[in-house]
Amino acid sequence: MGGHGILLFSLSSLLGIEASTQRLLPGLISSHREPLGGHMLSSFCSKENLFALKNTAELHVPPPPQYYSGLIKDIETLGWNKVEFVDPAFSIIRLKAEDSCSRNHLITLKLNPKYPTEPPECLVDLPVQFSASWNPESSLLSIHSQFLAALESLKEFWNALDEIDEKTWVLEPEKPTRSATMRRIAIGNNVSVNIEVDPRHPTMLPECYFLGADHVVNPLKIKLNSNIHLWDPEISLLQNLKEVLEIDFPSREALQKSDFSMDCGICYAYRLDGAIPNQVCDDARCGQPFHEACLYEWLRGLPSSRQSFNVIFGECPYCNKQITLKLSKKV
């Protein structure tokens, strides 16, 4: 028998017999390795390392044959047409599902060798937590059915955001995932609104945060507060926003980028480390946008700038008028 076979056989035999391990393992190691120092050898043979070796060996034990046969039977019951991916070890399975509005979704299952006694780990792209109920008699079909039910409960949420994505110019996120609950929507020249939608109550008034110069943003805030009583949960989220704010959101096609100058006035780029300009000069004749990080560095370098707590006061790089930057936690 080869040296590695002797070593593996001896280790597996000795893990349960500490006394024999202490006596034999040093000899085994010395016959297959360079001589070790006494301290390193005694450390290797300690109880802690023996338990670690045992646990590592258990982690790499392949599943029994019935694991694979049971899993194949589960997949056949579910239907191979619902399987997107299976890794060679059959430890990761990705299933696909289509909701009632023909949107495609994926759920990734990480299985352990004790499946189906123990539940798989479920990875999903949902705005809410997904926790499948499980018992030893459960199967892939039961998880898939629960996943479909979760998708159906979020139908109105995705309907609301899909309409916004289709009919407005969404500045952020650039490529929204199904779990994204925030949208930053362009309103006009360097003016936008951030909305945070509740996945469980998508037709209710969302959290709104306006971005832009004060002389443009303040009237929008006044309209929102004055017309909040007009909000109707029976109509779409986008239609409610239009009526409450008394505006029509321009589409990306209707609003050319030349008309919606979003490049930072300092770095002359649109995106900086994934962020787009979110600070604007309040002067009505300027209105130049800036990345928060760029404006922060600019104001820090001006001798005339001053800071009070998390607010920096200085001059606009474009028009030299007073500009104020309230620092976020990111800067």
Side-chain angles (χ1 to χ4, degrees):
M1 183 181 296
H4 294 295
I6 294 174
L7 182 59
L8 290 174
F9 174 79
S10 300
L11 281 174
S12 61
S13 302
L14 297 174
L15 283 170
I17 312 173
E18 181 183 344
S20 300
T21 303
Q22 295 287 349
R23 179 171 53 85
L24 298 176
L25 189 56
L28 287 168
I29 295 173
S30 62
S31 65
H32 297 282
R33 296 284 188 272
E34 293 295 327
L36 301 172
H39 174 74
M40 185 180 294
L41 190 58
S42 62
S43 174
F44 184 83
C45 296
S46 67
K47 289 183 180 180
E48 291 79 5
N49 282 328
L50 290 174
F51 285 129
L53 281 171
K54 182 178 180 182
N55 291 336
T56 302
E58 289 177 348
L59 285 174
H60 290 86
V61 172
Q66 56 266 31
Y67 167 87
Y68 298 100
S69 59
L71 195 51
I72 293 294
K73 184 178 179 181
D74 267 7
I75 294 176
E76 290 176 344
T77 302
L78 174 64
W80 283 97
N81 62 320
K82 294 182 175 64
V83 178
E84 175 77 11
F85 167 82
V86 180
D87 76 327
F90 273 72
S91 60
I92 298 177
I93 298 178
R94 189 171 298 121
L95 306 178
K96 51 189 177 182
E98 185 178 287
D99 63 25
S100 59
C101 294
S102 300
R103 285 179 287 251
N104 295 315
H105 306 266
L106 296 172
I107 176 170
T108 301
L109 307 177
K110 291 185 176 182
L111 294 81
N112 62 57
K114 296 182 179 180
Y115 174 89
T117 304
E118 294 184 3
E121 179 185 356
C122 301
L123 305 177
V124 295
D125 183 23
L126 301 180
V128 295
Q129 185 177 3
F130 175 75
S131 181
S133 60
W134 188 265
N135 60 61
E137 285 73 41
S138 297
S139 64
L140 297 182
L141 180 61
S142 62
I143 281 191
H144 192 266
S145 299
Q146 293 177 66
F147 184 51
L148 284 174
L151 298 180
E152 198 61 25
S153 71
L154 294 164
K155 179 177 67 174
E156 296 304 323
F157 168 74
W158 286 318
N159 285 346
L161 291 184
D162 282 354
E163 183 184 20
I164 288 174
D165 293 340
E166 179 185 347
K167 297 180 179 180
T168 71
W169 184 357
V170 174
L171 302 173
E172 293 182 291
E174 187 176 14
K175 295 179 180 178
T177 62
R178 287 299 176 191
S179 59
T181 59
M182 183 275 286
R183 294 293 190 274
R184 180 178 172 187
I185 311 170
I187 295 177
N189 191 19
N190 301 324
V191 184
S192 59
V193 60
N194 254 17
I195 62 169
E196 188 73 35
V197 183
D198 184 347
R200 295 301 188 192
H201 305 93
T203 60
M204 301 302 289
L205 177 67
E207 293 182 29
C208 297
Y209 175 68
F210 295 97
L211 296 161
D214 287 345
H215 69 277
V216 180
V217 164
N218 288 338
L220 291 171
K221 292 179 179 178
I222 293 172
K223 288 179 182 178
L224 177 62
N225 292 329
S226 301
N227 297 332
I228 197 169
H229 66 280
L230 299 176
W231 193 273
D232 182 3
E234 298 302 317
I235 63 177
S236 74
L237 174 62
L238 180 59
Q239 188 60 37
N240 267 313
L241 288 171
K242 288 180 179 180
E243 295 186 6
V244 169
L245 297 176
E246 299 178 13
I247 59 172
D248 280 324
F249 290 96
S251 66
R252 190 182 186 98
E253 292 73 22
L255 192 62
Q256 299 297 322
K257 191 172 181 181
S258 58
D259 300 326
F260 193 84
S261 175
M262 282 298 298
D263 290 344
C264 174
I266 296 174
C267 72
Y268 302 108
Y270 180 59
R271 290 196 176 272
L272 178 67
D273 296 330
I276 68 175
N278 61 354
Q279 303 296 318
V280 179
C281 177
D282 288 335
D283 190 274
R285 293 166 296 180
C286 180
Q288 177 63 44
F290 306 99
H291 292 114
E292 182 177 348
C294 294
L295 187 58
Y296 171 68
E297 293 297 332
W298 170 272
L299 294 177
R300 274 209 322 170
L302 291 180
S304 58
S305 295
R306 60 187 180 86
Q307 183 169 352
S308 176
F309 298 99
N310 65 330
V311 180
I312 299 182
F313 304 89
E315 296 176 354
C316 171
Y318 261 62
C319 66
N320 295 325
K321 300 294 184 181
Q322 181 73 26
I323 193 169
T324 303
L325 172 64
K326 186 176 182 180
L327 300 176
S328 68
K329 295 180 180 179
K330 297 180 181 179
V331 176

